[in-house]
Amino acid sequence: EVQLLESGGGLVQPGGSQRLSCAASGFTFSNYGLSWVRQAPGKGLEWVSSISGSGGSTYHGDSVKGRFTISRDNSKNTLYLQMNSLRAEDTAVYYCAKDRILFTGSPSTFDYWGQGILVTVSS
Amino acid sequence: DIQMTQSPSSLSASEGDRVTITCRASQSISRFLNWYQLKPGKAPKLLIYAASSLQSGVPSRFSGSGSGADFTLTISSLQPEDFATYYCQQSHSTPLTFGQGTKVEIK
């Protein structure tokens, strides 16, 4: 059974940093791309960042480019999102999501998601 | 960026009703269109991928259709567990983008 479990959320001050983690199990971790998708309070879903199975390719949305960095440790089956220079508008539930397709070079379709972790940016 | 527009933004329906949600892309995306179901406090769920392919384990009352820029999600007979918010998402190109969501509420 595929499981994705996010951690590392909480309250952070504007301008601060936070690192999210997503521990994965139930599939061959290095074979699949992974992504972060967020949902701000009362808003819809927003794609944040993606990374290929090898970690060699990364993609970031314009709203986080230069501030957030996605990475993965295939030896630990864990995905990360390093968030710097946080703003109030980054307040959201952050979901970790797995690509449906094996060895795909770019993010596409998310067949499994975690339950999400709340990040609140406020003073 | 490809903009995705869903309609309606919300709807009220009764158990057993046939429900249709539409999604329009700002440009042609062939069949690179997915549908997700969100419930509060739960992991989002993939329902339909590639416009009309039913994800494994998803009940057959869910179906998707369309190509190019216009797509539809249909629930043939609404069940109590289907009351949720539904999102379309284009997988044609990055940045991946979602529709604004359609909340299906109990009438």
Side-chain angles (χ1 to χ4, degrees):
Chain A
E1 180 191 5
V2 171
Q3 292 194 341
L4 299 167
L5 184 61
E6 302 95 341
S7 61
L11 177 65
V12 60
Q13 291 195 335
S17 297
Q18 193 88 334
R19 189 178 81 156
L20 302 183
S21 300
C22 173
S25 61
F27 63 100
T28 304
F29 187 76
S30 60
N31 286 356
Y32 291 90
L34 294 165
S35 299
W36 291 97
V37 178
R38 69 184 181 184
Q39 184 176 30
K43 304 291 186 182
L45 295 171
E46 179 189 14
W47 170 73
V48 174
S49 301
S50 297
I51 188 167
S52 62
S54 67
S57 297
T58 60
Y59 311 80
H60 295 277
D62 286 345
S63 63
V64 306
K65 206 169 287 183
R67 300 187 299 124
F68 289 14
T69 302
I70 190 171
S71 63
R72 64 191 295 160
D73 185 337
N74 286 349
S75 69
K76 295 182 178 179
N77 285 9
T78 302
L79 172 73
Y80 303 101
L81 185 68
Q82 178 66 44
M83 306 184 291
N84 299 331
S85 303
L86 282 161
R87 307 166 179 165
E89 54 265 36
D90 295 318
T91 295
V93 173
Y94 285 74
Y95 296 99
C96 166
K98 169 190 166 290
D99 278 355
R100 188 183 70 85
I101 302 172
L102 196 68
F103 296 129
T104 185
S106 56
S108 174
T109 304
F110 308 127
D111 61 349
Y112 289 94
W113 300 58
Q115 290 200 317
I117 191 85
L118 177 63
V119 174
T120 303
V121 183
S122 175
S123 54
Chain B
D1 297 2
I2 299 173
Q3 307 304 317
M4 307 301 294
T5 303
Q6 277 181 244
S7 61
S9 56
S10 66
L11 64 90
S12 296
S14 301
E15 185 176 340
D17 284 353
R18 182 181 182 89
V19 168
T20 299
I21 300 168
T22 64
C23 179
R24 174 165 287 177
S26 59
Q27 65 184 72
S28 176
I29 57 171
S30 184
R31 295 177 61 82
F32 293 99
L33 191 283
N34 310 305
W35 291 97
Y36 301 91
Q37 177 191 67
L38 264 74
K39 294 181 179 180
K42 299 191 108 178
K45 182 179 180 181
L46 173 65
L47 301 174
I48 302 286
Y49 64 92
S52 61
S53 295
L54 191 68
Q55 172 68 358
S56 175
V58 174
S60 59
R61 62 181 180 272
F62 291 93
S63 64
S65 64
S67 65
D70 292 303
F71 302 88
T72 299
L73 173 70
T74 299
I75 309 172
S76 61
S77 177
L78 200 65
Q79 299 301 300
E81 60 268 31
D82 301 337
F83 292 97
T85 303
Y86 295 85
Y87 290 87
C88 62
Q89 175 239 329
Q90 64 83 13
S91 52
H92 178 272
S93 55
T94 55
L96 303 180
T97 46
F98 293 85
Q100 78 276 21
T102 296
K103 187 172 185 179
V104 177
E105 298 175 300
I106 301 171
K107 194 171 191 178

